[in-house]
């Protein structure tokens, strides 16, 4: 498939545009503008009202104003002071001020006795109105060259507004009339202009507020951007679903038996997720679903129900965790329920060697093992299932893509359920996981004790240690997290080792342990096990306390240099405590002067334990790219659309994309063809490739 001819002029060289030479093209390239198409989608970020007025009198200063003046006099600088030029408009006199301007140039630009149009920011200084360095100084006959509403573009050194506006206008001239790809109902309801008109309006604003995100033109262009991306995700989704899966239907015999053994009733959210997953597995396509739920929301139970369905349907299931400790913990969670259902569970980690491992593999290949819990060891080529139907992957981000591919080879039609404990705001989840189905556990099981969170300045570290000592004397247990901040793993490790030594001196040998990334896995496991068994009182750790590790007796979490962590990470860490009956505490230790934003972020954490709320507020504070890190998020850089502020448009775009594809899977209808044009226009290469398949 090749690019529609109508779009060719937009993908040519920038120097093909009138008025754009190699120098301007080079400057534009610094702004990541390589083609006329890029120019089209680089919109002004604000608008300056340059409408002429008679006088500056009556204006709310400071303000950017445009008036016609008569030049009265020039006052040369005294010493290093500015040149002051007295001017008179329709009703007032004021000063135009230049610092370090050449006198002869000024005399020519603003000759005494002549009339000029001046436009710039007017401010009051000591009661005198001044316009310093006007943006425009023109003869009255040139005044037409200033638009009433001047667009303000992002620039780079050497590139001026005028050159930018000229280039944008030239690109706009090349924009073709295209067939409508948007849903006609949405366009009508929102009162949107067509694509070309929307671009024209965005580049040539007709009102002071025309650069705001809420004008019909801007909303339309944002929608287009979302729509193109969502269409790609919808194509990926469709392609996955086309790959034949097979129905895995169960009457609930096994899961029912497990339920009967539960000491509690599942939450409403768990029930909903269980039902969604069961329906998805029962359908003939291949399931690709995300289960999102905060720490402690009870994802394991949901996973077990699905795994038991897979077994009841005559197959097997695998539950994968990123570390051996977590795998063993999952085993502890899964085993009683599986036992109640009469299903055999086995664990496979990197520790398994020799004859024992061979026996496990044999049982798995023979289908005697119903559910396998494991680590990446499960990906080994010699691990063969009898009939794998469902793979549950916990904490997806810890697994690499290639490993997930490897998993695909274990079973042609395996349904997958990915569990993540990182709450993602709904808008982001749509943008990031639009190609998957998503189930959300937005409700926590009752009975957890709230964690008291406090912000403590590092100045008071001695107090913290003294209190910790008393708590440990009382038999309580604590995590102490030292941050790992980029670059210097070595010095961070040194800091953690120093802290470890200090705490050991204060609390006593044998009551403090240290785990960090450089430790051999076996040593790390041993330290974690001693802590879990209550043998150590304080566990000092660099960053990674194994995600999801469960030590109910640990009730204190100290996090040093908390401002260096992401909120999601802090929330995860805090989730390690508050798991038992005891009142739990989280101390966020910050530098003496963490800064305004850092403090606000820590306060969000103090204010709530609701992971979704924390994520929403974090998003509002930081922006999407920052929050997820673009590279690994798979989230595109939208030029116009704003994931945080326009979740409504994103949702509409997802619905429209999926609906269009359901009606017209090959995108062959007139609207489908228009959608192809949009994909090309938005450089959705991946979506385009899928269409070619
Ligand atoms: P997650 O993996 O989502 O962090 P878990 O599945 O480990 O959470 O569950 C956390 C704890 O809550 C476990 O001890 C589990 O037995 C318990 N739990 C799960 N569901 C419920 C429920 N509906 N009512 C009470 N306790 C529950
Ligand atoms: Mg878990």
């Amino acid at each position: 498939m090749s690019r529609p001819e109508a779009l060719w002029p937009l993908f040519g060289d920038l120097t093909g545009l009138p008025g754009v030479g190699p120098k301007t093209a080079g400057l534009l390239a610094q702004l990541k503008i390589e083609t006329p198409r890029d120019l089209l989608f680089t919109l002004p970020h604000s608008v300056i009202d340059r409408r002429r007025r008679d006088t500056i009198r009556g204006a709310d200063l400071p303000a950017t104003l445009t008036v016609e003046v008569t030049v009265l006099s020039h006052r040369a600088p005294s010493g290093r002071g500015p040149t002051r030029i007295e001017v008179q408009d329709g009703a007032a006199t004021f000063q135009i001020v230049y610092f370090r301007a050449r006198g002869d140039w000024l005399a020519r630009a603003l000759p005494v006795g002549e009339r000029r149009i001046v436009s710039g920011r007017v401010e009051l200084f000591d009661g005198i109105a001044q316009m310093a360095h006007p943006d425009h100084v023109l003869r009255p006959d040139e005044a037409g060259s200033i638009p009433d509403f001047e667009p303000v573009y992002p620039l780079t050194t050497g590139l001026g507004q005028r050159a930018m506006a000229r280039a944008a206008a030239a690109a706009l001239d090349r924009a073709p009339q295209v067939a409508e790809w948007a849903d006609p109902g949405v366009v009508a309801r929102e009162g949107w202009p067509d694509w070309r008109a929307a671009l024209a309006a965005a580049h040539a604003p007709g009102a002071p507020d025309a650069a705001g995100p809420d004008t019909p033109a801007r909303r339309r262009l944002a929608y287009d951007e979302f729509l193109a991306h969502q269409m790609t995700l919808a194509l990926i989704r469709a392609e996955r679903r086309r790959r034949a899966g097979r129905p895995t239907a169960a009457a609930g015999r096994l899961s029912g038996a497990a339920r009967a053994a539960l000491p509690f009733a599942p939450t409403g959210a768990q029930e909903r997720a269980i039902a969604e997953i069961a329906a998805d597995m029962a359908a003939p396509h291949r399931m690709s679903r995300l289960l999102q739920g905060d720490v402690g929301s009870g994802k394991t139970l949901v996973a077990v129900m699905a795994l038991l369905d897979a077994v009841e349907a005559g197959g097997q299931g695998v539950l994968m965790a990123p570390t051996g400790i977590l795998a063993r913990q999952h085993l502890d969670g899964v085993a009683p329920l599986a036992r109640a259902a009469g299903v055999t569970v086995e664990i496979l980690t990197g520790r398994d060697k020799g004859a024992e491992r061979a026996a496990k593999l044999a049982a798995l290949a023979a289908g005697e093992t119903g559910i396998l819990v494991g680590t990446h060891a499960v990906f080994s080529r010699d691990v063969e299932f009898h009939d794998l139907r469902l793979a549950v992957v916990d904490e997806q981000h810890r697994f690499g893509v290639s490993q997930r591919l490897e998993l695909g080879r274990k079973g042609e039609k395996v349904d997958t359920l990915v569990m993540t404990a990182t709450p993602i705001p709904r808008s982001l989840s749509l943008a990031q996981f639009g190609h998957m189905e998503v189930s959300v556990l937005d409700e926590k099981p009752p009975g957890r004790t709230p964690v008291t969170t406090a912000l403590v300045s590092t100045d008071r570290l001695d107090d913290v240690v003294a209190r910790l000592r008393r708590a440990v004397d009382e038999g309580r247990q604590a995590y102490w997290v030292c941050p790992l901040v980029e670059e210097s793993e070595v010095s961070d490790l040194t800091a953690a080792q120093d802290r470890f030594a200090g705490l050991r001196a204060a609390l006593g040998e044998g009551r403090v342990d240290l785990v960090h990334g450089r430790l051999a896995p076996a040593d790390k496991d041993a330290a974690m096990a001693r802590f879990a068994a209550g043998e150590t009182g304080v566990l000092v750790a660099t960053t990674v306390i194994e995600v999801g590790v469960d030590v109910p007796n640990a009730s204190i979490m100290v996090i040093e240099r908390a401002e260096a962590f992401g909120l999601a990470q802090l929330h995860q860490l805090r989730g390690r405590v508050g798991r038992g009956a005891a009142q739990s505490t989280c101390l966020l230790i910050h530098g003496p002067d963490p800064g305004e934003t850092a403090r606000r972020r820590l306060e969000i954490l103090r204010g709530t334990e609701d992971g979704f709320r924390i994520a929403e507020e974090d998003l509002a504070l930081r922006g999407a790219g920052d929050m997820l890190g673009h590279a690994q998020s798979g989230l595109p850089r939208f030029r116009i659309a704003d994931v945080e502020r326009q979740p409504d448009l994103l949702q509409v775009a997802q619905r429209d994309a999926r609906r269009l594809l359901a009606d017209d899977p090959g995108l062959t209808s007139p609207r489908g063809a228009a959608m192809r044009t949009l994909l090309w226009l938005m450089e959705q290469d991946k979506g385009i490739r899928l269409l070619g398949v």
Side-chain angles (χ1 to χ4, degrees):
M1 237 180 42
S2 57
R3 183 182 290 142
E5 214 171 314
L7 297 183
W8 290 1
L10 292 180
F11 286 85
D13 234 27
L14 277 175
T15 50
L17 295 175
V20 180
K23 180 164 164 279
T24 306
L27 292 167
L28 288 168
Q30 289 176 23
L31 295 169
K32 295 199 159 49
I33 298 173
E34 313 273 356
T35 58
R37 176 250 170 224
D38 295 341
L39 267 174
L40 286 185
F41 293 123
T42 306
L43 300 186
H45 55 70
S46 56
V47 174
I48 301 175
D49 186 346
R50 301 252 187 227
R51 279 177 294 180
R52 293 256 292 277
R53 32 189 301 147
D54 290 336
T55 174
I56 66 162
R57 172 167 290 170
D60 211 359
L61 300 183
T64 297
L65 302 174
T66 307
V67 288
E68 183 167 344
V69 297
T70 304
V71 182
L72 300 180
S73 64
H74 282 227
R75 187 144 27 99
S78 59
R80 308 190 55 182
T83 306
R84 294 173 188 279
I85 301 166
E86 191 93 348
V87 298
Q88 160 104 51
D89 68 17
T93 59
F94 64 97
Q95 290 181 355
I96 294 176
V97 177
Y98 282 94
F99 292 86
R100 275 168 307 206
R102 292 219 324 273
D104 54 342
W105 177 81
L106 280 183
R108 257 183 289 127
L110 288 157
V112 173
E114 290 202 17
R115 300 181 68 75
R116 286 291 182 269
I117 308 289
V118 294
S119 183
R121 192 173 160 81
V122 182
E123 287 181 83
L124 279 181
F125 272 102
D126 297 330
I128 299 169
Q130 297 187 352
M131 182 188 286
H133 296 262
D135 305 324
H136 299 278
V137 176
L138 298 167
R139 290 192 312 270
D141 61 301
E142 299 169 324
S145 71
I146 313 179
D148 277 356
F149 300 102
E150 186 180 47
V152 185
Y153 287 95
L155 296 177
T156 186
T157 317
L159 184 68
Q161 287 297 347
R162 276 180 194 233
M164 186 71 185
R166 237 187 354 251
L172 204 55
D173 277 343
R174 301 205 161 185
Q177 203 64 47
V178 291
E180 183 61 270
W181 48 69
D183 180 82
V186 176
V187 173
R189 193 185 66 224
E190 299 265 351
W192 284 343
D194 69 27
W195 175 70
R196 207 177 174 286
L199 278 176
H203 282 283
D209 60 358
D214 296 330
T215 59
R218 292 277 180 143
R219 275 176 65 80
R220 183 209 156 108
L221 295 172
Y223 168 87
D224 289 345
E225 215 174 4
F226 281 149
L227 184 64
H229 180 239
Q230 286 296 327
M231 184 46 96
T232 294
L233 295 179
L235 285 164
I236 295 172
R237 174 173 174 260
E239 201 254 348
R240 284 193 185 173
R241 288 164 83 94
R242 250 196 315 275
R243 272 188 248 153
R246 52 182 170 159
T248 294
R253 189 171 48 81
L254 298 183
S255 60
R259 271 171 188 270
L262 281 178
F264 49 73
T267 64
Q270 284 171 319
E271 291 290 15
R272 214 177 318 122
I274 290 167
E276 285 167 0
I277 294 163
D280 211 357
M281 287 170 65
H285 58 245
R286 196 165 165 178
M287 178 171 81
S288 179
R289 182 172 284 270
L290 182 72
L291 177 61
Q292 240 193 307
D294 211 345
V295 226
S297 58
K299 293 185 291 295
T300 314
L301 174 63
V302 176
V304 172
M305 292 298 153
L307 289 164
L308 290 175
D309 280 355
V311 175
E312 184 176 328
Q316 292 166 297
V318 61
L319 170 57
M320 275 172 303
T323 68
I325 297 169
L326 283 174
R328 275 185 288 285
Q329 258 173 30
H330 273 314
L331 181 69
D332 294 343
V334 173
L337 295 173
R339 200 176 309 122
V343 171
T344 312
V345 184
E346 193 53 85
I347 183 166
L348 188 73
T349 70
R351 287 187 175 187
D352 291 296
K353 300 261 152 48
E356 204 189 332
R357 179 168 187 276
K360 285 184 180 184
L361 295 192
L364 193 65
E368 289 154 22
T369 302
I371 299 175
L372 182 69
V373 178
T375 58
H376 56 276
V378 169
F379 294 115
S380 303
R381 282 185 180 268
D382 59 346
V383 176
E384 276 174 39
F385 289 82
H386 177 66
D387 180 13
L388 182 61
R389 277 178 177 257
L390 172 67
V392 181
V393 183
D394 196 7
E395 311 292 356
Q396 172 197 35
H397 52 280
R398 303 278 295 264
F399 290 101
V401 174
S402 61
Q403 292 179 323
R404 259 173 273 149
L405 288 177
E406 193 62 40
L407 183 71
R409 273 183 226 128
K410 304 270 175 231
E412 282 290 300
K413 300 164 177 177
V414 183
D415 287 330
T416 54
L417 178 68
V418 173
M419 304 200 291
T420 167
T422 311
I424 302 169
R426 175 147 180 77
S427 53
L428 277 193
S429 142
L430 274 179
Q432 203 182 5
F433 299 112
H435 57 299
M436 297 175 90
E437 314 304 318
V438 181
S439 292
V440 179
L441 296 182
D442 51 7
E443 184 185 350
K444 283 210 183 157
R448 279 178 67 107
T449 40
V451 179
T452 309
T453 301
L455 275 47
V456 184
S457 168
T458 186
D459 308 341
R460 291 179 44 212
L461 205 64
D462 290 346
D463 291 352
V464 173
V465 174
R467 276 171 57 190
L468 189 62
R469 192 197 161 95
R470 279 198 298 279
V472 172
D473 283 344
E474 289 165 12
R476 295 175 67 185
Q477 285 182 284
Y479 297 99
W480 187 297
V481 180
C482 305
L484 199 62
V485 190
E486 298 165 80
E487 325 273 358
S488 169
E489 198 187 330
V490 177
S491 67
D492 284 324
L493 184 54
T494 310
Q497 276 162 341
D498 288 351
R499 177 66 62 222
F500 169 57
L503 287 172
R504 223 163 37 157
L507 303 175
E509 299 264 336
R511 298 174 82 181
V512 188
D513 237 332
L514 173 67
V515 290
H516 56 78
R518 294 235 171 142
L519 227 47
D523 292 340
K524 198 156 66 178
D525 281 10
M528 297 296 300
R530 280 196 298 276
F531 186 66
E535 289 165 26
T536 29
V538 179
L539 188 67
V540 181
T542 53
T543 331
V544 186
I545 295 176
E546 306 296 340
V547 195
V549 52
D550 200 5
V551 182
N553 189 52
S555 60
I556 301 170
M557 171 64 66
V558 183
I559 304 171
E560 263 192 88
R561 230 188 310 160
E563 68 270 30
F565 290 92
L567 278 197
Q569 207 178 0
L570 290 171
H571 174 65
Q572 292 282 329
L573 288 170
R574 179 172 61 179
R576 303 296 122 225
V577 297
R579 305 197 149 207
Q583 171 60 53
S584 293
T585 309
C586 174
L587 297 181
L588 302 174
I589 299 184
H590 56 76
D593 188 14
E596 177 66 20
T597 312
R599 174 169 283 280
R600 282 233 305 281
R601 294 177 62 235
L602 295 182
E603 277 166 0
I604 292 174
L605 211 69
R606 184 171 62 188
T608 180
E609 275 191 78
D610 179 338
F612 280 97
R613 264 199 55 202
I614 291 170
E616 298 278 0
E617 296 200 29
D618 197 20
L619 177 63
L621 212 54
R622 285 205 293 160
D626 237 29
M627 186 160 161
L628 295 171
H630 270 291
Q632 86 239 35
S633 71
L635 197 67
R637 280 171 208 274
F638 295 110
R639 281 200 190 231
I640 300 169
D642 184 333
V643 173
E644 297 118 74
R645 300 207 168 74
Q646 300 175 309
D648 60 322
L649 283 180
L650 185 50
Q651 213 154 342
V652 176
Q654 180 178 74
R655 205 197 50 215
D656 288 352
R658 287 189 177 187
R659 197 181 285 165
L660 176 62
L661 206 56
D663 295 346
D664 179 14
L667 296 187
T668 49
S669 67
R671 208 184 136 209
M675 184 64 78
R676 287 170 181 256
T677 305
L678 176 68
L679 292 176
W680 279 105
L681 195 55
M682 296 296 185
E683 303 180 324
Q684 294 290 311
D685 297 351
K686 183 147 196 200
I688 292 164
R689 257 201 316 279
L690 283 170
L691 270 173
V693 177

